[in-house]
Amino acid sequence: MIETITAPVAARAVTTPKRRRRRPSLAPYFLSAPAIVLYIAFTVIPVVYTLGISFFAERLTGGGTLGIRETTFVWFENYLDVVSDSQLIAGLGRMAIYGIIAVPIMLGLALLFALLLDSPGVRLQRFGRTAIFVPYAVPGVVAALMWGFMYLPSTSPFSYVTEQLGLGAIPFLEPQGIYGALANISIWGGVGFNMLVIYTALRSIPRELIEAARLDGAGEVQIALRVKVPLVRPALVLTAIFALLGALQLYGEPLVLKPLTDTITSTWAPLMSIYQDAFALDNLPVAAAASVVLAIGTAAISVAVLLTVRWTTRRGMR
């Protein structure tokens, strides 16, 4: 009896085909290889090269009238020069003042326009979105040139009006007005992009939530402040980081306005100071060290903003 039962089972065990082990596919590696190569070529190698030359310096050796320039490993000497550079520190202070003016106003206007365009009963929404976004499509150099002509006392229509009223020309390019003039260019060009990001987040809010708030008697202002703004907080954080990074990269606007005024020097902003060291004074190691310090500071500020927002969000959820 036992033989009659076990015999077919043994036969099935013999005839069952072995499971084939799947060979690892190479397709993911081939598909991601171009991105990895481009990232290494255009990000990793320049960063490593900049970090490397920041530890060297040119020294004159051999005596004589001119001597011989030799590259010497100097450890952190260039970094000590950077953190003690009074011009660079003054440029960081000017950049901070510019950021304090530009970033809150830009984000506030972007949020206000997004909320207005998302409100019921607003007409010409598509035209409004396009009109606000168009300045973002204008190149930064063109925008700075255009506003530069608007700031010059001889060509400014604003100063013409104030002069006709007996108030004199507006000092856009003087020390007391240069921060507002530079911030205005960035605000004019950046509001549209940030508004579009926030507006997209607003459109993703379920309409049922807004209708429920209306049924509970909430007005449009209350809905905006207590329903919409809290729900689009991730978009607000994203735009805040973008605006902050844009402020830390201040370079084009003061460089374009520099020929129009004596207020802006060649080291007015940190990036202008780095450019001056690298290509006017031929001091690449110090410029590289300053670039590394600025990059680390930018990354630290971005991480601090993210951690602060995350901490406040968790605290609000408790």
Side-chain angles (χ1 to χ4, degrees):
M1 185 64 182
I2 295 174
E3 292 178 354
T4 58
I5 295 174
T6 56
V9 173
R12 285 200 300 270
V14 172
T15 57
T16 300
K18 294 182 179 179
R19 176 178 293 181
R20 294 182 180 178
R21 296 182 60 184
R22 296 183 59 183
R23 294 181 179 180
S25 176
L26 296 179
Y29 301 100
F30 283 112
L31 293 175
S32 59
I36 295 174
V37 170
L38 291 175
Y39 180 78
I40 293 174
F42 294 104
T43 302
V44 176
I45 292 177
V47 170
V48 173
Y49 179 74
T50 303
L51 190 63
I53 64 175
S54 67
F55 291 102
F56 291 88
E58 298 287 339
R59 294 285 188 267
L60 289 176
T61 59
T65 305
L66 300 177
I68 301 174
R69 298 186 67 176
E70 291 185 352
T71 303
T72 308
F73 186 75
V74 294
W75 291 98
F76 294 95
E77 183 179 324
N78 293 327
Y79 289 93
L80 294 176
D81 292 339
V82 167
V83 297
S84 60
D85 187 353
S86 60
Q87 291 184 342
L88 185 64
I89 294 173
L92 289 172
R94 288 188 285 265
M95 183 179 67
I97 296 173
Y98 159 82
I100 291 172
I101 298 173
V103 173
I105 296 177
M106 182 189 300
L107 296 181
L109 288 176
L111 178 60
L112 176 63
F113 288 142
L115 289 171
L116 289 175
L117 291 174
D118 190 56
S119 300
V122 175
R123 298 180 179 178
L124 301 175
Q125 289 186 351
R126 185 173 298 178
F127 174 78
R129 290 199 306 269
T130 305
I132 298 172
F133 183 77
V134 161
Y136 179 72
V138 178
V141 175
V142 176
L145 279 174
M146 183 185 70
W147 280 103
F149 292 127
M150 304 282 276
Y151 294 153
L152 272 178
S154 59
T155 58
S156 172
F158 309 113
S159 293
Y160 174 79
V161 173
T162 55
E163 287 176 347
Q164 295 301 313
L165 296 174
L167 302 176
I170 303 174
F172 289 113
L173 301 177
E174 300 299 323
Q176 62 270 30
I178 194 65
Y179 292 103
L182 290 170
N184 174 63
I185 299 173
S186 298
I187 293 168
W188 182 80
V191 166
F193 172 77
N194 293 299
M195 181 272 300
L196 202 60
V197 174
I198 299 172
Y199 178 76
T200 304
L202 286 172
R203 299 304 297 174
S204 66
I205 296 176
R207 297 292 104 177
E208 293 82 2
L209 289 177
I210 299 175
E211 292 299 329
R214 288 199 182 100
L215 291 175
D216 289 339
E220 292 303 323
V221 176
Q222 290 176 315
I223 293 173
L225 297 178
R226 298 184 180 181
V227 178
K228 293 181 179 179
V229 172
L231 290 177
V232 298
R233 181 175 293 179
L236 295 176
V237 173
L238 181 66
T239 53
I241 292 176
F242 284 161
L244 190 61
L245 293 178
L248 293 173
Q249 296 173 6
L250 177 65
Y251 179 74
E253 293 86 353
L255 187 68
V256 173
L257 296 185
K258 180 177 175 296
L260 307 179
T261 176
D262 295 331
T263 304
I264 300 176
T265 62
S266 58
T267 58
W268 196 86
L271 288 182
M272 295 175 68
S273 181
I274 292 173
Y275 181 87
Q276 183 77 5
D277 287 335
F279 301 108
L281 303 179
D282 196 21
N283 196 350
L284 283 176
V286 171
S291 301
V292 172
V293 171
L294 191 63
I296 293 174
T298 303
I301 292 174
S302 301
V303 171
V305 171
L306 283 174
L307 293 178
T308 303
V309 171
R310 185 176 298 176
W311 179 74
T312 54
T313 303
R314 289 180 178 177
R315 188 176 181 182
M317 294 175 63
R318 292 176 181 174

